[in-house]
């Protein structure tokens, strides 16, 4: 079914969300942890529910359940998920909460996503999208590099770097707090939405290796189908329409043995083994995605 511009179809929703928005429009080290807004969440759930086709499903329910059980037993849990659209996280949470499975409903309530600053700072409509879900906000390396290039002086570039350090240190502390509370951290390892024809947007970020060192268990979640399609860099230019979506989980992976075994298998002279590690994760996600697409 043909998709139509998001702003055309949901301008009324966006007005409602804007009036209910409470999230900060500027991020600093004092506000990196942002609790989800239940008022905007209800509208996001309505948008997602209108577009996820009834034949959509969760694949590997037993893996989601095992992951949840282990988190409840005290393990620190990480979700690494593919990223195609701004409805990826809303779609996963919607499917978990409408699964009729108590464990999956409770898992959804524990998810805290890692989000870049631009979701808060670039546009009030995008901010109201993002604030529907609990987040820890970071200053991404890609954004810092761009801002340093734009800096008009060395001093300005250094000030931006210092700002990034403060925000990301506060984000690390916030993430530690989440782990202690038994919350689950969800990360998009590409750091951006995949764009057809731009393979660099599907490359995993080197920094993701640190998450594997900081968590006990991880599941890899692939996404087949999308109710949003990217048109350009402006998120509000996305088009929307019904689609069959499948969110699939890998078996639960023990982070430290997984990382240790992979690193040990690399040649001693391997350049940038941390990047190789996340390249391997992305390859696993690609394989999982392709296998599901065969049966979608």
């Amino acid at each position: 079914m043909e998709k139509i511009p998001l702003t055309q179809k949901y301008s009324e929703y966006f007005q409602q969300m804007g009036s209910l928005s409470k999230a900060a429009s500027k991020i600093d080290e004092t506000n990196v942890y942002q609790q989800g807004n239940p008022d905007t969440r209800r509208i996001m759930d309505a948008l997602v529910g209108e577009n996820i086709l009834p034949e959509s499903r969760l694949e590997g329910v037993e893996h989601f359940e095992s992951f949840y059980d282990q988190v409840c037993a005290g393990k620190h849990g990480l979700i690494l998920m593919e990223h195609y659209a701004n409805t990826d996280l809303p779609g996963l949470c919607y499917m978990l909460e409408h699964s009729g499975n108590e464990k999956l409903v409770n898992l959804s309530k524990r998810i805290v996503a890692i989000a870049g600053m631009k979701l808060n700072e670039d546009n009030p409509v995008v901010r109201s999208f993002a604030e529907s879900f609990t987040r820890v906000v970071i200053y991404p390396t890609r954004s810092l590099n761009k801002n340093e290039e734009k800096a008009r002086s060395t001093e300005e570039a250094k000030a931006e770097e210092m700002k990034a350090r403060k925000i990301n240190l506060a984000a690390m502390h916030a993430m530690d707090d989440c782990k202690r509370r038994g919350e689950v951290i969800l990360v998009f390892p590409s750091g951006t939405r995949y764009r057809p024809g731009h393979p660099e947007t599907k490359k995993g970020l080197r920094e993701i290796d640190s998450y594997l060192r900081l968590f006990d268990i991880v599941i890899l979640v692939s996404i087949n189908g999308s109710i949003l399609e990217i048109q350009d860099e402006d998120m509000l230019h996305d088009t929307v329409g019904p689609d069959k979506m499948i969110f699939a989980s890998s078996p639960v992976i023990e982070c430290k043995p997984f990382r240790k075994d992979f690193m040990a298998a690399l040649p001693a002279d391997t350049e940038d083994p941390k990047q190789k590690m996340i390249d391997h994760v992305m390859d696993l996600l690609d394989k999982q995605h392709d296998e599901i697409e065969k049966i979608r």
Side-chain angles (χ1 to χ4, degrees):
M1 189 176 296
E2 185 179 356
K3 291 179 168 59
I4 64 175
L6 188 62
T7 49
Q8 178 182 324
K9 185 171 183 180
Y10 289 112
S11 60
E12 183 179 340
Y13 278 12
F14 293 159
Q15 290 174 11
Q16 293 174 19
M17 292 174 78
S19 68
L20 297 167
S21 179
K22 301 173 184 176
S25 60
K26 291 294 179 184
I27 298 298
D28 60 32
E29 67 272 20
T30 69
N31 60 8
V32 296
Y33 181 82
Q34 305 215 347
Q35 189 73 39
N37 182 338
D39 296 322
T40 59
R41 172 67 185 275
R42 281 190 284 272
I43 299 171
M44 277 300 301
D45 278 351
L47 186 156
V48 171
E50 289 173 14
N51 290 284
I52 285 189
L53 292 175
E55 57 266 36
S56 299
R57 70 178 188 275
L58 298 168
E59 189 80 19
V61 168
E62 69 277 15
H63 304 319
F64 284 112
E65 290 179 328
S66 176
F67 179 74
Y68 174 73
D69 287 339
Q70 292 184 52
V71 168
C72 289
K75 290 192 175 181
H76 297 145
L78 172 69
I79 298 174
L80 295 178
M81 189 162 81
E82 290 191 295
H83 197 14
Y84 294 95
N86 286 333
T87 46
D88 292 340
L89 174 61
L92 174 64
C93 290
Y94 181 91
M95 293 295 291
L96 291 171
E97 293 189 8
H98 288 78
S99 64
N101 181 317
E102 185 178 0
K103 289 183 179 182
L104 303 194
V105 172
N106 289 331
L107 172 60
S108 176
K109 294 175 181 177
R110 289 180 183 239
I111 292 175
V112 177
I114 300 298
M117 292 167 54
K118 72 183 230 175
L119 293 179
N120 273 69
E121 298 190 347
D122 278 11
N123 186 286
V125 174
V126 174
R127 180 165 64 248
S128 67
F129 255 63
E131 74 178 271
S132 301
F133 301 86
T134 302
R135 301 156 340 278
V136 170
V137 182
I138 62 169
Y139 196 138
T141 302
R142 281 181 179 144
S143 298
L144 177 59
N145 292 340
K146 288 179 182 177
N147 289 335
E148 286 182 328
E149 289 172 5
K150 294 176 184 176
R152 290 168 291 185
S153 66
T154 302
E155 291 73 19
E156 190 175 310
K158 286 182 178 178
E160 204 64 30
E161 183 178 355
M162 182 58 68
K163 176 183 176 181
R165 285 182 181 178
K166 288 181 178 179
I167 288 172
N168 289 339
L169 180 59
M172 287 296 293
H173 290 314
M175 190 167 66
D176 284 341
D177 291 340
C178 291
K179 289 162 65 178
R180 280 193 289 272
R181 290 192 295 264
E183 292 172 314
V184 169
I185 297 296
L186 183 147
V187 183
F188 297 114
S190 63
T192 188
R193 299 171 298 165
Y194 303 163
R195 296 165 180 81
H198 297 273
E200 70 279 5
T201 64
K202 205 168 187 179
K203 186 174 179 63
L205 297 175
R206 184 177 185 272
E207 296 92 320
I208 301 302
D209 178 68
S210 64
Y211 287 90
L212 293 174
R213 290 188 287 107
L214 293 170
F215 286 82
D216 299 319
I217 55 173
V218 60
I219 51 173
L220 309 181
V221 176
S222 55
I223 307 171
N224 293 74
S226 181
I227 63 177
L228 286 187
E229 287 184 2
I230 297 174
Q231 301 303 311
D232 55 38
E233 291 296 321
D234 189 332
M235 296 179 185
L236 294 182
H237 291 170
D238 291 357
T239 55
V240 62
D243 202 354
K244 174 183 176 180
M245 296 191 67
I246 301 175
F247 292 88
S249 173
S250 71
V252 178
I253 298 167
E254 295 280 347
C255 292
K256 291 176 178 61
F258 172 65
R259 183 179 183 275
K260 181 181 177 181
D261 292 348
F262 179 81
M263 290 292 197
L266 292 173
D269 59 349
T270 296
E271 184 177 344
D272 201 353
K274 291 182 179 180
Q275 184 62 55
K276 295 294 185 186
M277 180 72 252
I278 190 54
D279 289 345
H280 177 55
V281 169
M282 300 306 287
D283 288 344
L284 292 174
L285 276 169
D286 273 345
K287 182 179 179 182
Q288 185 170 303
H289 178 100
D290 292 344
E291 288 299 315
I292 296 296
E293 192 60 30
K294 291 176 184 177
I295 60 174
R296 190 170 82 97

